[in-house]
Amino acid sequence: RLELSWGWGWKRFTVTLDGKVVRTLDGGAAELKRGVFFNLPDGSTLNVLLQSGAFRTGLAVVRNGEVVPGSDTDPAQQVKRAAHLLYFLAGLNTLLGVVAMVARSDVLEAAGMGLGSLLFGLVVAVLGFFTYRGTRAAPMLAGLLYIADALFVLADSVTQGGRLPVFPLVIRAVIVATLFKAANAAANLRRREQEDAGASLQP
């Protein structure tokens, strides 16, 4: 029923409910970062805030104090996003491993590609599966795995006397932040399910 749309630079931000335009903003990102309120035709209030930073970005959409399902801050959406990320990383590692084994490239083997990449991809895929199922431990374990991977990359760079691999470390930091956020979201979902179950048992 609720639809949010926008153009380049968050211009022409439009809120539509049941096919009817509620309001359109032209302030762009600057206005959304301050937070905006919309009074919906059903009498409810919609709060939209553009979150941006090093490890978080997206729209926080809240209606009458409740997170709107499907929005960026929806715990279910955060868990699903982390699972998709893990599936992508698993596929990437698997592809690199196959290429390294078929091409028999010394460069790829020196970079750690090959059978190790296949095994790493398998582990990440399994963690992605359990993350999608809403298990809190899976994204936490995946996050710890990528922290260890980042430390290995850093130690290898120092040992080889090369420059600090800033970009690879930043990428891993984003991955870890996404995974730990998903772990927290999974815990919130589980707590919500327990509260709903407890409420349904009350006379």
PDB file of all heavy atoms in Angstrom, residues 153-154 157-158 161-169:
ATOM      1  N   VAL A 153      45.230 -10.768   5.832  1.00  0.00           N
ATOM      2  CA  VAL A 153      45.650  -9.884   4.743  1.00  0.00           C
ATOM      3  C   VAL A 153      46.625  -8.825   5.264  1.00  0.00           C
ATOM      4  O   VAL A 153      47.643  -8.522   4.636  1.00  0.00           O
ATOM      5  CB  VAL A 153      44.429  -9.207   4.088  1.00  0.00           C
ATOM      6  CG1 VAL A 153      44.868  -8.108   3.121  1.00  0.00           C
ATOM      7  CG2 VAL A 153      43.583 -10.238   3.363  1.00  0.00           C
ATOM      8  N   LEU A 154      46.307  -8.270   6.432  1.00  0.00           N
ATOM      9  CA  LEU A 154      47.173  -7.243   7.022  1.00  0.00           C
ATOM     10  C   LEU A 154      48.541  -7.817   7.403  1.00  0.00           C
ATOM     11  O   LEU A 154      49.577  -7.202   7.111  1.00  0.00           O
ATOM     12  CB  LEU A 154      46.484  -6.657   8.254  1.00  0.00           C
ATOM     13  CG  LEU A 154      47.234  -5.542   8.998  1.00  0.00           C
ATOM     14  CD1 LEU A 154      47.476  -4.357   8.071  1.00  0.00           C
ATOM     15  CD2 LEU A 154      46.456  -5.104  10.228  1.00  0.00           C
ATOM     16  N   SER A 157      50.627  -8.498   4.335  1.00  0.00           N
ATOM     17  CA  SER A 157      51.161  -7.263   3.751  1.00  0.00           C
ATOM     18  C   SER A 157      52.371  -6.766   4.535  1.00  0.00           C
ATOM     19  O   SER A 157      53.369  -6.343   3.952  1.00  0.00           O
ATOM     20  CB  SER A 157      50.073  -6.190   3.728  1.00  0.00           C
ATOM     21  OG  SER A 157      50.588  -4.956   3.283  1.00  0.00           O
ATOM     22  N   VAL A 158      52.284  -6.838   5.852  1.00  0.00           N
ATOM     23  CA  VAL A 158      53.398  -6.393   6.691  1.00  0.00           C
ATOM     24  C   VAL A 158      54.607  -7.300   6.499  1.00  0.00           C
ATOM     25  O   VAL A 158      55.746  -6.833   6.401  1.00  0.00           O
ATOM     26  CB  VAL A 158      52.968  -6.374   8.174  1.00  0.00           C
ATOM     27  CG1 VAL A 158      54.175  -6.099   9.078  1.00  0.00           C
ATOM     28  CG2 VAL A 158      51.887  -5.323   8.399  1.00  0.00           C
ATOM     29  N   GLY A 161      56.347  -6.621   3.365  1.00  0.00           N
ATOM     30  CA  GLY A 161      56.921  -5.283   3.297  1.00  0.00           C
ATOM     31  C   GLY A 161      56.231  -4.366   2.307  1.00  0.00           C
ATOM     32  O   GLY A 161      56.805  -3.362   1.878  1.00  0.00           O
ATOM     33  N   GLY A 162      54.994  -4.704   1.943  1.00  0.00           N
ATOM     34  CA  GLY A 162      54.263  -3.881   0.988  1.00  0.00           C
ATOM     35  C   GLY A 162      53.478  -2.774   1.668  1.00  0.00           C
ATOM     36  O   GLY A 162      53.528  -2.593   2.885  1.00  0.00           O
ATOM     37  N   ARG A 163      52.744  -2.031   0.851  1.00  0.00           N
ATOM     38  CA  ARG A 163      51.919  -0.951   1.380  1.00  0.00           C
ATOM     39  C   ARG A 163      50.665  -1.511   2.040  1.00  0.00           C
ATOM     40  O   ARG A 163      50.219  -2.617   1.730  1.00  0.00           O
ATOM     41  CB  ARG A 163      51.534   0.025   0.269  1.00  0.00           C
ATOM     42  CG  ARG A 163      52.725   0.786  -0.315  1.00  0.00           C
ATOM     43  CD  ARG A 163      52.257   1.919  -1.208  1.00  0.00           C
ATOM     44  NE  ARG A 163      51.423   1.447  -2.300  1.00  0.00           N
ATOM     45  CZ  ARG A 163      50.811   2.262  -3.157  1.00  0.00           C
ATOM     46  NH1 ARG A 163      50.952   3.576  -3.044  1.00  0.00           N
ATOM     47  NH2 ARG A 163      50.072   1.762  -4.132  1.00  0.00           N
ATOM     48  N   LEU A 164      50.079  -0.742   2.924  1.00  0.00           N
ATOM     49  CA  LEU A 164      48.880  -1.161   3.623  1.00  0.00           C
ATOM     50  C   LEU A 164      47.733  -1.325   2.627  1.00  0.00           C
ATOM     51  O   LEU A 164      47.409  -0.385   1.889  1.00  0.00           O
ATOM     52  CB  LEU A 164      48.504  -0.120   4.682  1.00  0.00           C
ATOM     53  CG  LEU A 164      47.315  -0.474   5.585  1.00  0.00           C
ATOM     54  CD1 LEU A 164      47.687  -1.646   6.487  1.00  0.00           C
ATOM     55  CD2 LEU A 164      46.907   0.725   6.430  1.00  0.00           C
ATOM     56  N   PRO A 165      47.100  -2.501   2.556  1.00  0.00           N
ATOM     57  CA  PRO A 165      46.012  -2.737   1.601  1.00  0.00           C
ATOM     58  C   PRO A 165      44.715  -2.078   2.080  1.00  0.00           C
ATOM     59  O   PRO A 165      43.823  -2.756   2.614  1.00  0.00           O
ATOM     60  CB  PRO A 165      45.909  -4.265   1.572  1.00  0.00           C
ATOM     61  CG  PRO A 165      46.357  -4.692   2.932  1.00  0.00           C
ATOM     62  CD  PRO A 165      47.425  -3.702   3.352  1.00  0.00           C
ATOM     63  N   VAL A 166      44.617  -0.790   1.894  1.00  0.00           N
ATOM     64  CA  VAL A 166      43.501  -0.033   2.445  1.00  0.00           C
ATOM     65  C   VAL A 166      42.163  -0.492   1.873  1.00  0.00           C
ATOM     66  O   VAL A 166      41.213  -0.768   2.615  1.00  0.00           O
ATOM     67  CB  VAL A 166      43.693   1.485   2.184  1.00  0.00           C
ATOM     68  CG1 VAL A 166      42.477   2.261   2.692  1.00  0.00           C
ATOM     69  CG2 VAL A 166      44.966   1.977   2.860  1.00  0.00           C
ATOM     70  N   PHE A 167      42.081  -0.585   0.540  1.00  0.00           N
ATOM     71  CA  PHE A 167      40.797  -0.919  -0.089  1.00  0.00           C
ATOM     72  C   PHE A 167      40.276  -2.295   0.326  1.00  0.00           C
ATOM     73  O   PHE A 167      39.105  -2.422   0.720  1.00  0.00           O
ATOM     74  CB  PHE A 167      40.921  -0.823  -1.610  1.00  0.00           C
ATOM     75  CG  PHE A 167      39.629  -1.074  -2.330  1.00  0.00           C
ATOM     76  CD1 PHE A 167      38.597  -0.141  -2.303  1.00  0.00           C
ATOM     77  CD2 PHE A 167      39.430  -2.260  -3.025  1.00  0.00           C
ATOM     78  CE1 PHE A 167      37.406  -0.382  -2.960  1.00  0.00           C
ATOM     79  CE2 PHE A 167      38.244  -2.505  -3.682  1.00  0.00           C
ATOM     80  CZ  PHE A 167      37.220  -1.562  -3.649  1.00  0.00           C
ATOM     81  N   PRO A 168      41.111  -3.351   0.274  1.00  0.00           N
ATOM     82  CA  PRO A 168      40.615  -4.658   0.731  1.00  0.00           C
ATOM     83  C   PRO A 168      40.162  -4.644   2.194  1.00  0.00           C
ATOM     84  O   PRO A 168      39.191  -5.318   2.548  1.00  0.00           O
ATOM     85  CB  PRO A 168      41.823  -5.581   0.528  1.00  0.00           C
ATOM     86  CG  PRO A 168      42.612  -4.929  -0.547  1.00  0.00           C
ATOM     87  CD  PRO A 168      42.457  -3.459  -0.305  1.00  0.00           C
ATOM     88  N   LEU A 169      40.872  -3.902   3.034  1.00  0.00           N
ATOM     89  CA  LEU A 169      40.495  -3.839   4.442  1.00  0.00           C
ATOM     90  C   LEU A 169      39.179  -3.088   4.632  1.00  0.00           C
ATOM     91  O   LEU A 169      38.353  -3.465   5.475  1.00  0.00           O
ATOM     92  CB  LEU A 169      41.609  -3.175   5.255  1.00  0.00           C
ATOM     93  CG  LEU A 169      42.909  -3.976   5.374  1.00  0.00           C
ATOM     94  CD1 LEU A 169      43.957  -3.185   6.141  1.00  0.00           C
ATOM     95  CD2 LEU A 169      42.654  -5.319   6.071  1.00  0.00           C
TER      96      LEU A 169
END
